[in-house]
Amino acid sequence: MSAPGAPSPYPYTLRVATDPADIEACFAVRKEVFVVEQGVAEELEYDGRDTAALQVLAVRDDGLPLGTARLLYGPEAADRTGGDPATGALGRLAVGRAARGLGIGAALVRAVEDAARERGLTTVDLHAQSHALGFYERLGYTAYGPEFLDAGIAHRSMRRDI
């Protein structure tokens, strides 16, 4: 996957993280954003679902990891999707501070949606931090249900048909 025309001061690519180095790069970005910046406990951030998830990594051409997102689907996503086998759960979207505002987050969401379509899914559900609702709305997601706390951070459920 390549970045879809994102205005970036440096080139980057998107790829499905398949080897251990890519998975570790995904974890490093998540740790930077969720654990260090937002104060999420590591035991909450690394929830045991990563081995079954599809993970997408945005990496600068020199190898620096910039962002990541994951897709849960099938039985691993049942508690997030109401058991609907046609719905996947996008989560753990994180872009490092230095790479924000460059379109990387949107590119990661679209890459996860592409991966969901390839697996026969028709809907993507997510739990958005409340401050990020506008970002997801611009990408076609609609909020539903009440606000709730996850790891002490306000969230809303959102969904988009793909």
Side-chain angles (χ1 to χ4, degrees):
M1 298 177 208
S2 61
S8 176
Y10 38 77
Y12 68 93
T13 57
L14 299 174
R15 64 179 179 245
V16 173
T18 55
D19 66 53
D22 278 355
I23 299 297
E24 285 303 315
C26 292
F27 288 173
V29 173
R30 286 168 47 186
K31 184 172 185 171
E32 172 192 344
V33 173
F34 297 123
V35 177
V36 175
E37 285 183 34
Q38 296 183 356
V40 174
E42 284 192 59
E43 60 271 12
L44 295 176
E45 176 53 32
Y46 305 109
D47 61 4
R49 296 181 185 207
D50 291 306
T51 55
L54 177 135
Q55 307 214 33
V56 178
L57 175 65
V59 61
R60 198 165 68 181
D61 282 358
D62 66 1
L64 181 72
L66 302 172
T68 187
R70 77 177 184 187
L71 172 67
L72 296 173
Y73 57 98
E76 288 298 318
D79 66 324
R80 297 281 304 271
T81 63
D84 182 354
T87 300
L90 185 154
R92 302 307 199 261
L93 175 67
V95 176
R97 185 181 303 266
R100 292 182 193 149
L102 304 175
I104 294 168
L108 285 162
V109 170
R110 295 304 185 217
V112 166
E113 291 171 348
D114 289 345
R117 272 188 220 90
E118 290 169 7
R119 284 151 183 79
L121 305 179
T122 59
T123 307
V124 173
D125 198 272
L126 60 88
H127 293 167
Q129 291 185 7
S130 294
H131 71 85
L133 287 173
F135 167 78
Y136 290 109
E137 287 169 343
R138 288 188 295 278
L139 294 174
Y141 287 81
T142 302
Y144 67 92
E147 189 172 70
F148 61 92
L149 290 180
D150 186 0
I153 300 169
H155 285 70
R156 289 278 310 274
S157 295
M158 301 187 84
R159 180 167 282 190
R160 177 173 188 263
D161 292 334
I162 56 170

